DNA sequence: TAGATTGTTAATCGATTAACAATC
DNA sequence: TAGATTGTTAATCGATTAACAATC
C-alpha cells in the first residue's frame, strides 16, 4: 500500500477527467490517449499520465486507455461507484433549484432530504419532477437527529450567510463529512470535515479583472 | 506602469480578500493586518502581503491596512467599483433561481436580461422580488442582437449541456467577454473570452475522495 | 515488425514561506 | 521611543514539463 499522501491538486483534477471520460463513453468512444483526453480537459498529456500514475497503471503502451476500465477505476478512487445521499439545508430559490435538479444521479449523488427553519415552509412539498412529489421540507430543529439516523454524510448549505455557521455546526454534529457551501463566507469546521465553496460573485470577479 | 503579467492564481485570490474585507467593514471594523485577514480567509499573512504588493503599497508599517481604502483599491483592480450587467441564458430551475437571487448587487453585478429557446417559456415573466416583476424571458434567437445592443459583457450559462456550446458561440458573437458556465462540459471559446465553470457534482466528488 | 503511447525520471518552472530591514 | 507590521528578498518547497526507455 502506498502511504504517501496524494496532493489535493491531483485529487481536484480527477473528477474533471471522469466527467470527460463519461461524456466520451456516452458518445460511444471506447478508448482514448492521454493526448486526446488532455485536449478535452485543457490539461497536458504528461500531467494526466502523472496524475493517474499516483493510483496505478491504467493504460497500455501503444494503445492508451480503455475508457470503461478507467471510468470504473476513477469512480472507485473518488468513491462514486456508490450513490451518496445528500441533504439540502435552506430552501430558498437555490435550495429548491438544487432539490429539483435531475443531473446528479449519474454522477454519484442524490438528494434525500431537505430542511428549512421558516415555519411557513416547513411541511411544504418540493417536487423533484413534475409527476412525483417526493420531498417534505423538514424543520431544521430536527436536522441533527434526522441526518444522523439516515446516515447522510454530505450536505449542501444554501441558507443566508447569517445562519450558515450555525447550520454547519449542526451538520458536523450530525456526522456530515462534506459540506458544499453556497453561503458567501468561510465556514469553520474540524479538519475531518471537508468544505467546498461555491460563490458565483467570486467567479464573476475573477473574470472582470481581465475585461478592459 | 508595470507590464509584468499578474499570475492568474493571485488574481483568483483577490475576490476572496475583498469579500472578507467587506464582511469586516459591514461589522464596523476599520483596519486590519495581513495576519488577521489571513486567518479569516485561510491564507498565510506573507502570501497576502506578497499578493497585494503586485498592485501597489496599500498598508502602513506598524498599523496594517485601512479597510475602506483597501476595499476601494481591490474593487478598482477587479473592476467592480462599477456594476456589471449580466445576461442569464437558460431559464430552467437554476436560471430562475439566479434571476431571483438578490445577493449580487453589492458585489458588482446585476442581472438585466434572460433568455430561453422554449416557446412555452418565451414571454413569461420572472419576478426578481415579490412585488416588482421585472424580467420577460426573451427568445434565444434574439440573443446576439439584444446583448450586443445593450452592451452586456457577462453571461451566466444555465442551459442543458446539449445546447451549451451553441449558446456560448452566440454569446461570443454578441461581444460577451466572460461566461459563468453551469453546464457540465468545457466550452471552447477564443482566448479573449474568459470562462469560469461551476459544476456542483465536481465539487462533491472532490470531497468524497476523502471520506472513508 | 514498426508505430504509438505509456509510466517514470530528471530538469524546469513557479509558487509559497521565512526572514528582516524599513518605517509607521 | 518601543512595538508592530509592512513590503521585499532569498530560500524552500512543490508542481509541471520534457524526454525517453519500456512495451503493447
Amino acid at each position: 500500500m502506498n502511504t504517501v499522501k496524494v496532493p489535493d491538486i491531483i485529487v481536484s483534477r480527477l473528477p474533471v477527467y471522469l466527467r470527460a471520460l463519461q461524456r466520451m463513453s456516452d458518445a460511444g468512444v471506447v478508448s482514448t490517449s492521454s493526448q486526446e483526453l488532455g485536449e478535452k480537459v485543457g490539461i497536458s498529456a504528461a500531467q494526466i499520465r502523472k496524475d493517474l500514475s499516483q493510483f496505478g497503471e491504467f493504460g497500455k503502451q501503444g494503445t492508451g486507455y480503455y475508457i470503461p476500465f478507467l471510468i470504473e477505476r476513477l469512480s472507485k478512487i473518488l468513491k462514486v461507484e456508490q450513490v451518496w445521499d445528500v441533504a439540502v439545508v435552506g430552501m430558498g430559490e437555490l435550495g429548491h433549484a438544487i432539490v429539483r435538479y435531475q443531473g446528479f444521479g449519474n454522477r454519484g449523488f442524490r438528494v434525500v432530504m431537505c430542511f428549512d427553519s421558516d415555519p411557513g415552509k416547513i411541511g411544504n412539498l418540493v417536487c423533484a419532477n413534475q409527476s412525483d412529489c417526493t420531498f417534505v421540507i423538514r424543520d431544521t430543529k430536527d436536522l441533527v437527529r434526522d441526518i444522523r439516523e439516515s446516515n447522510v454524510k454530505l450536505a449542501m448549505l444554501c441558507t443566508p450567510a447569517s445562519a450558515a455557521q450555525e447550520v454547519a455546526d449542526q451538520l458536523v454534529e450530525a456526522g456530515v463529512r462534506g459540506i458544499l457551501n453556497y453561503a458567501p463566507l468561510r465556514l469553520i469546521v474540524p479538519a475531518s470535515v471537508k468544505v467546498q465553496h461555491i460563490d458565483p460573485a467570486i467567479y464573476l470577479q475573477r473574470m472582470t479583472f481581465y475585461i478592459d
Side-chain angles (χ1 to χ4, degrees), chain A:
Chain A
M1 201 197 107
N2 187 2
T3 49
V4 177
K5 191 189 167 294
V6 180
D8 287 353
I9 195 157
I10 292 183
V11 175
S12 77
R13 284 191 290 259
L14 300 182
V16 178
Y17 302 158
L18 180 56
R19 188 181 65 189
L21 290 164
Q22 277 168 334
R23 272 188 75 79
M24 283 191 250
S25 185
D26 291 346
V29 183
V30 295
S31 81
T32 189
S33 63
S34 57
Q35 174 74 36
E36 185 187 46
L37 180 58
E39 283 163 14
K40 304 243 186 229
V41 298
I43 291 173
S44 77
Q47 173 108 245
I48 289 175
R49 294 201 301 277
K50 192 136 206 289
D51 286 354
L52 294 179
S53 74
Q54 284 274 334
F55 303 96
E57 306 191 356
F58 306 136
K60 277 196 174 53
Q61 286 98 329
T63 57
Y65 301 91
Y66 178 58
I67 291 178
F69 176 69
L70 190 50
I71 287 176
E72 187 200 310
R73 296 306 304 269
L74 282 176
S75 297
K76 267 241 166 61
I77 291 165
L78 292 169
K79 306 202 182 74
V80 288
E81 85 284 16
Q82 59 183 291
V83 174
W84 293 78
D85 291 343
V86 182
V88 174
V89 190
M91 293 302 291
E93 289 295 338
L94 181 62
H96 273 89
I98 288 170
V99 172
R100 292 186 185 129
Y101 178 59
Q102 304 291 308
F104 288 130
N106 56 352
R107 314 277 299 275
F109 308 97
R110 65 170 180 186
V111 173
V112 294
M113 57 178 74
C114 59
F115 297 89
D116 204 291
S117 59
D118 177 354
K121 286 181 184 164
I122 294 163
N124 288 0
L125 295 174
V126 182
C127 297
N129 58 56
Q130 305 307 74
S131 56
D132 173 21
C133 209
T134 39
F135 295 103
V136 182
I137 299 180
R138 304 175 187 218
D139 190 336
T140 305
K141 284 202 180 71
D142 301 326
L143 184 154
V144 173
R145 186 197 65 197
D146 289 3
I147 287 186
R148 187 175 275 152
E149 272 179 8
S150 45
N151 205 31
V152 171
K153 294 297 171 199
L154 292 171
M156 298 170 109
L157 204 170
C158 311
T159 67
S162 53
Q165 183 61 55
E166 193 189 352
V167 168
D169 295 343
Q170 292 175 274
L171 290 170
V172 170
E173 194 193 335
V176 162
R177 298 288 304 281
I179 300 174
L180 187 48
N181 174 29
Y182 283 90
L185 58 84
R186 200 169 78 103
L187 299 174
I188 317 275
V189 297
S192 59
V193 178
K194 289 279 165 185
V195 176
Q196 293 274 307
H197 197 273
I198 293 182
D199 182 343
I202 294 262
Y203 292 97
L204 290 170
Q205 292 179 349
R206 284 175 184 165
M207 299 195 287
T208 51
F209 175 87
Y210 298 97
I211 306 177
D212 28 88

